[in-house]
Amino acid sequence: MIAFLYVVPALIMSAALFGAYRVVRRFRRAGRAWRSGLTAEAECLRVYGMARGGGDSMVHTSLRHVYEFRTREGRVVRFEEEGGPGTTLEGDIVTVHYADGPEVVATAIPRQRRSGYGLATAMALSFIGVIVLFCAGFMVTLAVFTSALHI
């Protein structure tokens, strides 16, 4: 029974840390694309919504866009991005920032929204940090309590 009380917070912490990894990875990829200075005109091929949750929890819906563009070298790149503007529809032409290399990194998020994007990333990481600290504190408290009772 006591082991279960360690496993659940450990699983929550690992899921939160994986979420932090994904948030930081997405932010760094977008930053790399912005810093490269390379831009291209891309066509929005598809727009669709992704719903998460349901049942007893709130439903969260986010838009996903699929873009396609041609790099300066002529390579055709297709990428998908979450959280784009609801005003971008299929067939629209948008400017994308990209970084060339073995794996092309691209984003259609405008450079002007960069500071807001960084703030959202910082807020997400802060929230994840609170979750991890709460779980770690729970596990330490449980360890102290069980050692005091000699369980």
Side-chain angles (χ1 to χ4, degrees):
M1 178 64 183
I2 295 295
F4 180 74
L5 293 175
Y6 285 108
V7 169
V8 171
L11 288 174
I12 293 170
M13 286 173 59
S14 62
L17 291 172
F18 179 71
Y21 162 75
R22 296 286 306 248
V23 166
V24 169
R25 180 173 176 248
R26 183 177 175 197
F27 181 72
R28 290 181 53 108
R29 288 172 61 94
R32 186 171 148 220
W34 286 323
R35 283 189 305 275
S36 75
L38 299 172
T39 60
E41 296 297 311
E43 180 182 0
C44 179
L45 301 177
R46 184 169 178 226
V47 179
Y48 63 97
M50 291 284 293
R52 289 185 214 112
D56 292 338
S57 64
M58 286 180 31
V59 175
H60 173 73
T61 306
S62 64
L63 283 180
R64 297 184 73 87
H65 294 82
V66 178
Y67 299 103
E68 185 175 83
F69 69 96
R70 190 174 298 274
T71 65
R72 290 182 180 174
E73 292 78 31
R75 186 166 59 168
V76 176
V77 177
R78 183 179 290 187
F79 71 99
E80 186 172 324
E81 189 167 55
E82 182 179 359
T87 55
T88 302
L89 304 173
E90 291 180 17
D92 286 354
I93 304 296
V94 298
T95 301
V96 294
H97 297 267
Y98 72 96
D100 218 354
E103 179 188 352
V104 175
V105 177
T107 183
I109 296 172
R111 193 176 186 105
Q112 298 87 340
R113 287 186 40 203
R114 181 174 52 184
S115 61
Y117 195 65
L119 179 62
T121 300
M123 289 175 58
L125 291 176
S126 298
F127 181 70
I128 290 169
V130 168
I131 291 171
V132 169
L133 286 175
F134 178 79
C135 290
F138 176 81
M139 291 170 70
V140 167
T141 303
L142 183 64
V144 169
F145 181 72
T146 55
S147 68
L149 295 178
H150 304 292
I151 297 178

